Amino acid sequence: MASNGAPPSRPPSSSGEDSVPILPLRNSVLFPMSVVPINVGRPRSVRLVEDLLGRERALVGVISQRSPEIDEPTFKELYTVGTIARVVKVIRLGPSNYSVVLNGLGRFRVKNIVALEPYMRAKIERIPESLVRDVELDALGTGLREATREVLQLMPNLPRDTAGILDNVREPGALADLIASNFPQAQASVADKEEILEAFDVKARVRLVLAMVGRQLEVLRVKKEISSMVQEEMGKSQREYILRQQMKSIREELGEAGEDDEIEELRERVRRAKVPADVEKVVKKQLGRMRSMAQQSAEYNVTRTYVEWIADLPWSKTTVDRISVQEVRRCLDEDHMGLEKVKKRIVEYAAIRQLRADKKGPILLFIGPPGVGKTSLGRSIARAMGRQYERIALGGVRDEAEVRGHRRTYVGALPGRILQALKKAGTKNPVLVLDEVDKMGVDLRGDPAAALLEVLDPEQNATFQDHYLDMPFDLSQVMFLATANNRETIPPALFDRMEVIEVPGYTRTDKLGIAREFLVPKQLSAHGLTDERLEFTEPGIATLIDHYTREAGVRGLEREIAAVCRATAVKLAEGNAVIEVVSPEHVEKVLGPHKHRPEIAEHNLEPGVATGLAWTPTGGEILFIEATKMPGKGNVVLTGNMKNVMQESATTAVSFVRSKAGELHLDPEWLKNIDLHVHIPKHGTPKDGPSAGVTMFTAVCSLLLGCPVRSDVAMTGEISLRGRIMGVGGVKEKLLAAHRAGIKHVIIPARNRKDLEDVPQDILDEVKVTLVNAMDEILPLVLEPPRQTSVSTPPPLA
């Protein structure tokens, strides 16, 4: 390594190579003919400066770094062209911290590396400056000087003598270096300035600087134009503000300031709300009326409340949507297990918003049994998209004004729930959940469902008009989500405006996962417990699912988990050192005997009893249909709180059996001397729907033939007098109910084949599904050999 000798006392020649110390610059470029102070604090640079102490006018090579993040660069991290500079002054700022004033002399190129320690040294080659002048170069220099002078005129904060310096520098190359060295860092990066430093040709250098100045000049011109436009627009409002301040001072002198302060505060709130021009016109009129009213009058308070509502509504405030599809999918997976169709639709919406920012908000309707997470989906969607969330409960609402608001002529008038929710959300693009839209009522005060027609129509809700506000409000950016248990009670016109997404019940596997991942941690935290104190095992959770709950959702399961947690919390509160494991035995000890047994195990099917499947607003259910006969005169009795459609299905089933008596090996007049009684247990529950027709037909045939129905078979389907089996709804919910009850074989109409695509594969693996087209296909599948036959003929349809 070379010795650390003193720097040369004379400038290096332009033809030979000289060894000089190298000082790297992190965030700037030193140009020839410029004097710049540089703070030095890095170890190598400090050693270089300390070696220069007392040797002012010594020479040093200054080179910029390619990347400012490197603390101790090598020659590979430096540019190859730098500036040879003379040390003018060294100022000690503190321990290992100096300020060095450097005067740039000329350009050089690094030829050979001499040393890295104790500081960088290299052999350099000086680049002589060309002094040849021609007409083109003079024209470029003049253009550069004029453009720079124009930039200085558009930047009033610069010192006044800056323009005079331009006239003192006559050489175009030196002028370009001077302008580049003083150009702000924000407008010219180190790489841009280094490109100018490496431009040895004077014309090329002037062109580079001229282009840089031209870009800055264009930016300043546009900035000035924008500033002028803004000043013109704000001129009127500023004049109004000054006049109001003067009026305020006059009223203060007259002792009338209190009345005006409130009006001015309302005016300022409306201004900050950035209301549309037509709304601002209405507000000005109302504020003008308030000036002529007494503050104690009722009309003054009504008008003030009206203006306050206008000021508080989010006319222009929105939240920025999170448009990352991966982030939306991650948030939905964190909060909900399963529900793939719902998640897929939300991800699709996020993808469309990612491609088109002006897409209107969708209106989704989640239909499903209670406890499956319909309402909580709205909160998850809002979190996933970065929007505000509000919920509007519509169950039991009977007044149209709850949606559209009351007219201001009424005492105590208020806007409707839609605008109230937007005020709470504070933005005009929140996620609004309209909960229980199927439970709205109708009375003399109007139909709230009809009032929702405009709210939930994407083509109309951009101009939604609340009766209280009496002016349009844009709801097109709101993402509406509605929930319902029963689609039958939703008015058709309202139902048509929404995109329906079925949210079915959970399978046993889903419930195990939900309990393990969500419900158990939530309840442990809510009861002040940890999994070290109370450990839920999978068999214990399975016992809660199988024997203590019977539901499509998980609300009851969460209550039972909470009951187990409470028992442990009581023991801990009493001072006992409790460490418990939730096993099936522990569950039975805490909750008592099993509340539910498999429904198929509850009975031993006799002839005349068949198992059907029904859909209810709370999910699928097992439905037992019983038939018996007694001496009589041919009457058919139907009991079990059946409604009209189900009674017609029972009548159709009996009529079909009578019409096919010969094929079933029955006496054609078998109903002549008996009365037939068809019954459905659970009298307190109203029952309706056509899907029990197949089950009623099977029960009647089983009774008359003396053949019991297989206990592990359930069925559903609508029948016709021609013997056809027509499709039904709620197939997925019915199959889930059959699986919960232990059914191994389910018979459904062939027309419902497409519905099997929505059924989880683990259900189809455990439950055999048979598709049938006609009623004569059913009996061979469901009947067992007769135990005691009342007729002498063999079983039908062998």
Side-chain angles (χ1 to χ4, degrees), residues 359-376:
K359 182 69 177 175
K360 294 181 179 180
I363 297 167
L364 306 180
L365 172 61
F366 298 140
I367 296 182
V372 296
K374 300 186 299 297
T375 304
S376 60

Side-chain angles (χ1 to χ4, degrees), residues 707-719:
C707 299
V709 179
R710 290 170 49 190
S711 62
D712 62 345
V713 175
M715 60 204 78
T716 183
E718 181 180 358
I719 62 175

Side-chain angles (χ1 to χ4, degrees), residues 333-529:
D333 290 339
E334 283 180 359
D335 294 345
H336 291 273
M337 179 172 289
L339 305 180
E340 298 304 326
K341 290 179 66 175
V342 180
K343 295 178 182 177
K344 178 173 177 284
R345 180 62 184 88
I346 302 304
V347 169
E348 289 172 351
Y349 173 67
I352 293 173
R353 287 304 295 259
Q354 185 172 342
L355 300 177
R356 283 194 62 185
D358 60 341
K359 182 69 177 175
K360 294 181 179 180
I363 297 167
L364 306 180
L365 172 61
F366 298 140
I367 296 182
V372 296
K374 300 186 299 297
T375 304
S376 60
L377 265 171
R379 192 181 303 275
S380 300
I381 292 169
R383 184 174 78 89
M385 300 184 64
R387 292 192 177 194
Q388 297 296 319
Y389 165 83
E390 287 297 330
R391 171 180 168 270
I392 302 174
L394 296 177
V397 172
R398 296 175 176 271
D399 189 354
E400 178 188 356
E402 292 285 343
V403 178
R404 281 196 177 275
H406 303 79
R407 300 193 183 277
R408 281 184 290 139
T409 53
Y410 294 105
V411 177
L414 283 174
R417 295 195 183 189
I418 303 297
L419 292 189
Q420 291 182 33
L422 288 174
K423 177 185 175 183
K424 290 180 183 178
T427 63
K428 65 182 299 185
N429 64 335
V431 174
L432 290 188
V433 175
L434 306 177
D435 220 2
E436 311 292 356
V437 295
D438 58 328
K439 296 179 177 61
M440 291 185 292
V442 181
D443 65 5
L444 297 176
R445 292 170 292 183
D447 184 2
L452 282 176
L453 295 179
E454 182 182 2
V455 176
L456 299 182
D457 191 337
E459 302 301 326
Q460 299 180 26
N461 60 12
T463 57
F464 171 72
Q465 191 152 340
D466 186 274
H467 287 161
Y468 180 84
L469 207 62
D470 201 23
M471 59 184 70
F473 191 93
D474 184 7
L475 300 179
S476 62
Q477 297 185 46
V478 178
M479 184 174 186
F480 286 103
L481 305 178
T483 69
N485 300 131
N486 186 4
R487 70 170 68 202
E488 303 299 330
T489 56
I490 303 175
L494 183 62
F495 187 81
D496 182 64
R497 281 165 165 78
M498 296 181 282
E499 180 179 343
V500 179
I501 298 179
E502 299 282 351
V503 186
Y506 294 111
T507 65
R508 184 175 182 273
T509 304
D510 290 339
K511 290 182 180 180
L512 281 171
I514 293 171
R516 183 173 56 250
E517 300 294 332
F518 299 99
L519 303 183
V520 169
K522 176 183 175 183
Q523 291 303 320
L524 287 176
S525 175
H527 291 82
L529 301 174

Side-chain angles (χ1 to χ4, degrees), residues 591-612:
L591 300 181
H594 294 173
K595 297 179 182 179
H596 302 283
R597 292 183 297 162
E599 295 186 22
I600 297 304
E602 292 184 359
H603 67 281
N604 188 9
L605 293 185
E606 297 291 335
V609 181
T611 307

Side-chain angles (χ1 to χ4, degrees), residues 151-165:
V151 168
L152 294 177
Q153 291 175 354
L154 294 174
M155 298 177 69
N157 296 329
L158 293 177
R160 295 182 178 179
D161 57 348
T162 307
I165 299 175

Side-chain angles (χ1 to χ4, degrees), residues 100-211:
V100 183
V101 180
L102 299 176
N103 180 17
L105 300 177
R107 291 170 169 79
F108 72 84
R109 180 187 289 112
V110 175
K111 299 298 290 182
N112 293 303
I113 300 171
V114 176
L116 281 177
E117 300 293 343
Y119 47 80
M120 305 175 77
R121 292 185 67 87
K123 286 187 176 182
I124 65 170
E125 177 189 2
R126 286 288 294 270
I127 308 297
E129 182 77 4
S130 175
L131 300 178
V132 178
R133 300 281 293 273
D134 58 18
V135 176
E136 181 183 3
L137 184 58
D138 288 340
L140 287 172
T142 303
L144 177 60
R145 185 176 286 105
E146 295 301 323
T148 306
R149 187 174 285 111
E150 189 173 351
V151 168
L152 294 177
Q153 291 175 354
L154 294 174
M155 298 177 69
N157 296 329
L158 293 177
R160 295 182 178 179
D161 57 348
T162 307
I165 299 175
L166 298 176
D167 298 329
N168 295 332
V169 180
R170 308 310 304 173
E171 291 293 333
L175 178 65
D177 287 341
L178 174 66
I179 295 172
S181 65
N182 289 280
F183 220 72
Q185 189 73 26
Q187 280 79 37
S189 64
V190 172
D192 295 335
K193 292 186 176 183
E194 181 65 27
E195 184 181 4
I196 295 171
L197 185 66
E198 294 178 1
F200 303 142
D201 181 66
V202 178
K203 291 182 181 179
R205 187 190 314 160
V206 175
R207 288 192 182 98
L208 287 173
V209 178
L210 186 58

Side-chain angles (χ1 to χ4, degrees), residues 707-763:
C707 299
V709 179
R710 290 170 49 190
S711 62
D712 62 345
V713 175
M715 60 204 78
T716 183
E718 181 180 358
I719 62 175
S720 70
L721 284 175
R722 296 176 299 158
R724 307 300 299 171
I725 298 180
M726 293 171 285
V728 293
V731 171
K732 181 176 181 179
E733 289 81 358
K734 293 175 181 178
L735 285 173
L736 291 176
H739 180 260
R740 287 196 301 269
I743 299 291
K744 300 300 181 185
H745 188 186
V746 174
I747 297 174
I748 67 172
R751 298 184 183 184
N752 290 110
R753 183 189 303 272
K754 64 181 184 305
D755 297 316
L756 296 179
E757 298 176 0
D758 298 331
V759 180
Q761 188 59 42
D762 56 340
I763 300 295

